[in-house]
Amino acid sequence: MSDLAVFITVAEQGSFVGAGRSLGVSASAVGKRVSRLEAELGARLLQRSTRALALTAEGETVLSRGRRMLEEAAAMRADLERAGRLPEGVLRLSLPPIGGVMMAELGAFQLRYPEVSLELDYSERNVDLIEEGFDAAIRVGAGGDGKLRSLVLPGFRRLIVAAPDYLARHGRPDAPEQLADHRLIHYRSPNSGKLEDWPLADAELPRALVCNSVHARLEFALQGQGIACLPDVSIRRELDDGSLRPLLSSENGELIALRLLWPSSRGLSARMAVFMDFMRQAAQERRHG
């Protein structure tokens, strides 16, 4: 490409001397660069005489197409430099299929950086960030594995809840062992096929309904179909308006960890750098708020 740029300068200046003056090198150095380009292309580009230079037919073709190539290369370089500095473009994130997880933070990030488009993929499976082209993932309880770096995010608790209508019809359990007499709504992992444990020790848990969706369990609980164990981040509105009631002091249960993961071998784009800084600040504010 550099030899091509020299040839184009010669064609525009009409001489090796003029091109050398423009480029800040000697005329002989310019001549050597043009000769090297001709050798690489296997074609004579200039007709040389003691008085003037003239383009051959091949030289006319190389001049026309070479200008477009250099313009495209310059535009590509400018785009890459701009992308390296400015937070813009698409940020692909993998998230757990849990409603409410980091939703407030993601919304606030969009408001602050409107030029960054979020592409969110909700899935329980552990996606391969590098192979599948994700910038980062938010995962439940996961740590780094050598290929990934991680940032601890604010976690959540699972609450045992029921609708007032259900409690009016079936009574309110006051101890874990009383759940044996109730209709329970369970979650089965689509990956492992196992039922999710409830934050209770040694309690018999009957199965009235089993599904693999947080949203479905929430809807069935709101209908009064049974008692469910749900992430607190998914039911904040329902807890606030009283459409779901926490049971058995489960709000004091174990905190479930969340982590932001990203490839350790990949250089950070501007959009990923500002996203990490934003999430780190949000995590600190949540912990101290």
Side-chain angles (χ1 to χ4, degrees), residues 19 34-35 46 83 94 99 107 128 131 171 173 175 232 245 254 260:
V34 172
S35 296
L46 294 170
S94 172
D128 188 316
E131 290 295 325
D232 59 358
R245 306 270 178 83
E254 177 186 4
L260 175 67

Coordinates of all heavy atoms in Angstrom, one line a residue, residues 19 34-35 46 83 94 99 107 128 131 171 173 175 232 245 254 260:
A19 N 7.4 14.3 -7.0 CA 6.9 13.4 -6.0 C 7.8 13.3 -4.8 O 7.4 13.3 -3.6 CB 6.7 12.0 -6.6
V34 N 8.6 2.8 -7.1 CA 7.8 2.6 -8.3 C 8.2 1.3 -9.0 O 7.4 0.5 -9.4 CB 7.8 3.8 -9.2 CG1 7.0 3.5 -10.5 CG2 7.1 5.0 -8.6
S35 N 9.5 1.2 -9.2 CA 10.1 0.0 -9.8 C 9.7 -1.3 -9.0 O 9.4 -2.3 -9.6 CB 11.6 0.1 -10.0 OG 12.0 1.1 -10.8
L46 N 4.6 3.1 -15.9 CA 5.0 4.5 -16.4 C 5.9 4.3 -17.7 O 6.8 3.4 -17.7 CB 5.8 5.2 -15.4 CG 5.0 5.7 -14.1 CD1 6.0 6.2 -13.1 CD2 4.0 6.7 -14.4
A83 N -13.6 4.0 16.7 CA -14.2 3.0 17.6 C -13.4 2.7 18.8 O -13.9 2.3 19.8 CB -14.4 1.7 16.7
S94 N -24.8 -11.7 27.4 CA -25.5 -12.9 27.8 C -26.0 -12.8 29.2 O -25.1 -12.5 30.1 CB -24.7 -14.2 27.6 OG -25.3 -15.3 28.1
G99 N -36.1 -12.3 35.4 CA -36.6 -11.0 35.2 C -36.1 -10.0 36.3 O -36.1 -10.4 37.5
G107 N -30.8 0.0 32.0 CA -31.5 1.1 31.5 C -30.8 2.4 31.8 O -30.8 3.3 30.9
D128 N -20.3 -19.6 25.2 CA -18.9 -19.4 25.0 C -18.7 -18.0 24.4 O -19.0 -17.7 23.3 CB -18.3 -20.5 23.9 CG -16.8 -20.4 23.8 OD1 -16.2 -19.3 23.8 OD2 -16.2 -21.5 23.8
E131 N -16.2 -17.8 21.3 CA -16.6 -18.5 20.1 C -17.9 -17.9 19.5 O -18.2 -17.8 18.3 CB -16.8 -20.0 20.3 CG -15.5 -20.7 20.5 CD -14.7 -20.8 19.3 OE1 -15.2 -20.8 18.2 OE2 -13.4 -20.7 19.4
G171 N -54.7 -20.9 53.9 CA -54.0 -20.7 55.1 C -52.5 -20.3 54.9 O -52.0 -20.6 53.8
P173 N -48.7 -20.8 55.9 CA -47.8 -21.7 56.6 C -46.9 -20.9 57.6 O -46.3 -19.9 57.2 CB -46.9 -22.3 55.5 CG -47.0 -21.3 54.4 CD -48.3 -20.7 54.5
A175 N -44.4 -22.6 59.4 CA -43.2 -23.4 59.6 C -42.9 -24.2 58.3 O -43.9 -24.5 57.6 CB -43.3 -24.3 60.8
D232 N -36.0 -12.1 44.4 CA -36.6 -10.9 44.8 C -36.5 -9.8 43.8 O -37.4 -8.9 43.7 CB -35.9 -10.4 46.1 CG -34.4 -10.2 46.0 OD1 -33.8 -10.4 44.9 OD2 -33.8 -9.8 47.0
R245 N -47.0 -11.9 49.0 CA -46.6 -11.8 50.4 C -45.4 -12.7 50.6 O -45.5 -13.9 50.3 CB -47.8 -12.1 51.3 CG -49.0 -11.3 51.1 CD -49.1 -10.0 51.8 NE -50.3 -9.2 51.5 CZ -51.5 -9.4 52.1 NH1 -51.6 -10.4 53.0 NH2 -52.5 -8.6 51.8
E254 N -30.2 -16.9 51.9 CA -28.8 -16.8 51.3 C -28.8 -15.8 50.1 O -29.7 -15.9 49.3 CB -28.4 -18.2 50.8 CG -27.0 -18.2 50.2 CD -26.6 -19.5 49.6 OE1 -27.5 -20.4 49.7 OE2 -25.5 -19.6 49.1
L260 N -20.1 -10.3 36.5 CA -19.9 -9.9 35.1 C -18.6 -10.6 34.6 O -17.6 -10.4 35.3 CB -19.8 -8.4 35.0 CG -19.5 -7.8 33.7 CD1 -20.6 -8.0 32.7 CD2 -19.2 -6.3 33.8

